[in-house]
Amino acid sequence: MTQQYLKNLKVFAVTLVMLFLCFYAFFYILTDKYVAPSNIQLIDNWDISYNGSTYHNVSLSEFEFINLKKGDVVSLSNTIPDRVVGNQTMMFNTYLSSVNVILNDVSIYQYAMKRDEAEDIIGSGCHFVIIPRNSSGKTVHINITAREDNAFTNMETITFVPTTHAYSYYTHKKATTIFVSFFLVILGIILSIVGAITLLSNSRNFQLTYIGLFSFFMGIWSMCNVKVLQIFNINLSSCASVEYLSLFAATIPLVLLLSTVRKDDTPKSRLAIRLIALVFTIFVVVTSILHFTKIVHFSQMLSLFHGLVALSLIVFAVVGIRNRRKRTTAQIVMSLGFLVLCLSFAADLVRFNVQKYLMPNNPHLYDSFIPIGTLLFIILLLYSFSQSTLAMIHDKAEQELLSYIAYHDDLCKIYNRAMCDKEFDRLDNSDENFSLVNLDLNGLKAINDNMGHAAGDKLLMSFAEILTKAFENVGTCYRMGGDEFIVIVPEESAAFIPSCIDRMEILEKEGSKELNYPIEASYGIAARNEVKERSAAKVNSLADSRMYEMKVKAHKNRK
């Protein structure tokens, strides 16, 4: 069973990797096929006005907005290049800001200009502004109103692409991150469903469910982070709300997952981890209420969230240091995965600040490292889960083997005295009526002495097989040791005992011909209602005395 599980696990892992690579290749080729054949980037010769100052002939790759305050308006103006012909879309990113695009004194695009800045979160993302035909040579003004302090420090490259290729161009630039995001969501849904099914089968293993929920939430967060939901006409405000909520919610299954893996921790350690999960649950509920009632936005609670995450990491570190017991493979892999996840978050923090303050227009810094880190974490989690499941199956198989050895006769392959004593104890504690058939195999000592113990063993195995066939679906057979056997028959099957005895005697004659020496057993039958004390021991004693009487009678007849 363990080997088959391991084989299936390897097949699953290889299939998962192959599917991932195939779908990624298909996705990349598909987006590449419809990507814009050419795009025009407008980086230089901008006029920028903010904080009462105007800067001329500015390059967006070099200009920084310092000490930008909530409510400040940044105005950028430039001439649309002559190369921008036909149906074109102007693309640019903004962060926590309202946008108004004016072409020759006519507003052609607005975002969040009429929204009360104190009532809702503005969000961040890419704006797709359709430029009217014959706009080349005209002046375009982009007015950006910051809705938070230090909403942004630079302006990324503004790009013109054919309108029919705008979304494919956007998705192609972020193909890897977008695909990983979708993959995490789909994988999360599948794992959550499979985990729920295993729970319905009375399994108490929640690990797969927690992995699925974490994958799903992080996939949703990643999709919002790269603004792919905009393709489905979801506005930046809703995208930002989902982004924060999914990030906050992802911590709950992650902490619960860690608590299930660290089963060997002390009760205090387990309690501390569960309290952390409770704190994050309360945090998600409270921040959601505050956000959707427009009292405090999610973005304003981000610092508190970071503080809770830092505190949780400290608690996990302390618990890990105090518990120096030997870790299982599953726990080691889980720790490695957690380290990968932490490193991806740390690397992304560095990437974000480098891109924001030092290299704002470096295309290699646009994509977050977190989706890739999360995918690696999920893969390691699945491997950890498989290892723990494999260990559990191995332990269960080992327990079943030990139980089989403890309660089965190694020679005859039927239940032994220990199992019979266990069944006697159960019957003594119940009101069930039953009958016992005690049997003693005749001539075993003579066979051992004259033909050897191998012949005696063959006699015992043959009789055990005969007894099992004779009482099939009627009673349970036990070897008590030596040449003694017992059959326990429930009350509803007691009427079949005589026919079973007849069948046994027929099988004995057939078996004797095959062995070339006699198979014959003496027996005694007794029922519970025949003894006053009704104990299994008394019924056994009565059946044994009757069996002995038959044995004596048979011995006299042979003389």
Side-chain angles (χ1 to χ4, degrees):
M1 182 178 180
T2 302
Q3 293 297 325
Q4 184 61 39
Y5 176 82
L6 189 58
K7 182 180 179 180
N8 293 340
L9 179 63
K10 290 179 179 178
V11 171
F12 172 76
V14 172
T15 304
L16 188 65
V17 172
M18 293 302 295
L19 283 175
F20 177 83
L21 294 176
C22 289
F23 280 117
Y24 175 71
F26 174 77
F27 180 82
Y28 192 85
I29 293 171
L30 186 66
T31 56
D32 184 62
K33 180 179 179 181
Y34 294 101
V35 75
S38 63
N39 61 79
I40 302 168
Q41 294 185 340
L42 197 55
I43 301 175
D44 300 321
N45 301 318
W46 284 91
D47 293 337
I48 299 178
S49 299
Y50 87 105
N51 285 345
S53 301
T54 301
Y55 307 86
H56 299 285
N57 297 321
V58 170
S59 173
L60 295 181
S61 62
E62 299 174 355
F63 193 84
E64 292 185 15
F65 301 96
I66 302 173
N67 296 326
L68 202 62
K69 301 296 182 183
K70 182 178 180 179
D72 286 351
V73 178
V74 174
S75 180
L76 302 93
S77 59
N78 206 335
T79 301
I80 297 180
D82 294 337
R83 294 176 295 162
V84 177
V85 294
N87 293 321
Q88 295 282 324
T89 294
M90 181 172 64
M91 298 170 53
F92 59 93
N93 292 325
T94 62
Y95 300 90
L96 302 174
S97 302
S98 301
V99 177
N100 184 21
V101 179
I102 300 171
L103 183 64
N104 274 12
D105 300 325
V106 177
S107 178
I108 62 171
Y109 176 87
Q110 289 187 348
Y111 171 72
M113 293 303 297
K114 298 179 181 180
R115 195 190 311 263
D116 187 341
E117 61 188 20
E119 288 186 356
D120 207 348
I121 187 171
I122 298 300
S124 305
C126 185
H127 299 273
F128 299 83
V129 183
I130 298 176
I131 302 298
R133 284 178 172 270
N134 304 318
S135 294
S136 58
K138 295 180 180 180
T139 301
V140 61
H141 298 274
I142 304 174
N143 297 325
I144 303 173
T145 304
R147 296 303 189 184
E148 301 287 346
D149 291 341
N150 296 313
F152 56 94
T153 59
N154 56 72
M155 191 70 187
E156 295 178 10
T157 301
I158 295 175
T159 306
F160 292 86
V161 298
T163 300
T164 54
H165 294 82
Y167 287 119
S168 60
Y169 173 77
Y170 180 77
T171 54
H172 184 74
K173 284 201 309 178
K174 300 177 180 292
T176 300
T177 305
I178 291 174
F179 178 78
V180 171
S181 303
F182 275 108
F183 187 81
L184 287 174
V185 171
I186 295 172
L187 183 63
I189 293 173
I190 294 173
L191 293 178
S192 297
I193 293 173
V194 174
I197 293 173
T198 58
L199 289 176
L200 291 175
S201 63
N202 297 322
S203 172
R204 293 183 59 82
N205 195 334
F206 289 85
Q207 288 186 28
L208 205 59
T209 304
Y210 293 149
I211 294 173
L213 290 174
F214 179 74
S215 178
F216 175 77
F217 285 132
M218 289 305 297
I220 293 294
W221 172 84
S222 182
M223 289 171 66
C224 295
N225 186 256
V226 297
K227 316 308 175 191
V228 69
L229 293 184
Q230 290 181 248
I231 298 174
F232 305 103
N233 293 322
I234 298 177
N235 62 47
L236 300 185
S237 177
S238 300
C239 185
S241 297
V242 175
E243 180 179 355
Y244 283 111
L245 184 58
S246 57
L247 178 63
F248 294 165
T251 56
I252 300 172
L254 177 61
V255 174
L256 291 174
L257 176 64
L258 293 175
S259 69
T260 60
V261 174
R262 303 176 65 101
K263 292 181 179 180
D264 56 343
D265 283 341
T266 63
K268 289 184 178 180
S269 298
R270 290 196 296 270
L271 178 61
I273 295 175
R274 288 169 185 167
L275 284 175
I276 291 174
L278 178 62
V279 168
F280 277 113
T281 303
I282 295 172
F283 176 81
V284 171
V285 173
V286 172
T287 54
S288 298
I289 293 173
L290 293 176
H291 175 80
F292 292 110
T293 55
K294 300 181 180 180
I295 298 175
V296 179
H297 294 158
F298 279 137
S299 59
Q300 296 171 285
M301 304 297 289
L302 193 59
S303 297
L304 178 58
F305 175 73
H306 288 161
L308 290 175
V309 171
L311 181 62
S312 302
L313 290 175
I314 294 173
V315 172
F316 282 121
V318 171
V319 169
I321 292 172
R322 287 186 175 180
N323 190 349
R324 297 182 179 179
R325 298 176 185 175
K326 185 178 179 181
R327 293 293 182 186
T328 63
T329 301
Q331 291 171 330
I332 293 172
V333 173
M334 164 69 85
S335 300
L336 178 61
F338 193 64
L339 178 62
V340 169
L341 185 66
C342 291
L343 289 176
S344 69
F345 272 89
D348 196 68
L349 185 62
V350 173
R351 176 205 64 81
F352 175 79
N353 285 282
V354 170
Q355 189 266 338
K356 184 174 183 179
Y357 297 107
L358 300 178
M359 305 171 68
N361 289 291
N362 188 327
H364 300 294
L365 297 176
Y366 288 160
D367 294 335
S368 172
F369 298 140
I370 295 177
I372 300 296
T374 302
L375 179 61
L376 293 175
F377 179 51
I378 296 298
I379 292 173
L380 290 171
L381 283 181
L382 290 175
Y383 181 77
S384 172
F385 173 76
S386 67
Q387 289 297 308
S388 61
T389 304
L390 189 62
M392 182 180 67
I393 292 174
H394 182 271
D395 291 342
K396 185 176 180 181
E398 192 174 64
Q399 291 174 1
E400 290 176 353
L401 178 60
L402 291 174
S403 177
Y404 182 88
I405 293 172
Y407 293 115
H408 283 76
D409 184 84
D410 186 51
L411 178 64
C412 296
K413 310 303 179 187
I414 61 175
Y415 287 126
N416 59 13
R417 176 184 286 274
M419 190 63 184
C420 185
D421 291 341
K422 186 177 180 180
E423 182 64 10
F424 277 5
D425 290 339
R426 188 191 69 80
L427 292 170
D428 285 340
N429 292 317
S430 72
D431 294 326
E432 297 177 32
N433 284 324
F434 62 92
S435 297
L436 296 182
V437 182
N438 287 24
L439 304 105
D440 188 278
L441 187 57
N442 298 330
L444 177 62
K445 185 177 184 304
I447 295 294
N448 283 332
D449 292 343
N450 298 324
M451 303 180 65
H453 286 279
D457 290 345
K458 195 168 185 179
L459 174 62
L460 286 167
M461 289 186 289
S462 298
F463 180 71
E465 185 178 352
I466 289 169
L467 189 64
T468 302
K469 287 182 180 179
F471 282 88
E472 187 175 10
N473 299 323
V474 173
T476 306
C477 303
Y478 305 81
R479 182 189 177 199
M480 303 301 285
D483 54 5
E484 297 178 2
F485 294 80
I486 280 183
V487 182
I488 300 178
V489 181
E491 181 182 25
E492 60 270 19
S493 300
F496 297 102
I497 292 177
S499 61
C500 291
I501 295 295
D502 292 341
R503 177 170 170 76
M504 181 187 74
E505 290 176 342
I506 293 172
L507 292 173
E508 284 177 343
K509 292 177 181 178
E510 293 176 356
S512 298
K513 293 178 181 179
E514 293 180 8
L515 294 181
N516 293 322
Y517 49 83
I519 303 176
E520 184 183 85
S522 300
Y523 58 86
I525 305 169
R528 188 176 198 176
N529 53 20
E530 292 184 81
V531 297
K532 188 175 181 180
E533 294 185 12
R534 294 178 60 79
S535 68
K538 290 296 183 180
V539 180
N540 182 40
S541 179
L542 179 59
D544 205 49
S545 64
R546 289 173 177 173
M547 179 269 294
Y548 183 72
E549 289 174 3
M550 180 180 179
K551 195 174 185 71
V552 170
K553 187 182 295 185
H555 183 69
K556 288 181 179 179
N557 291 336
R558 282 196 295 269
K559 288 183 176 181

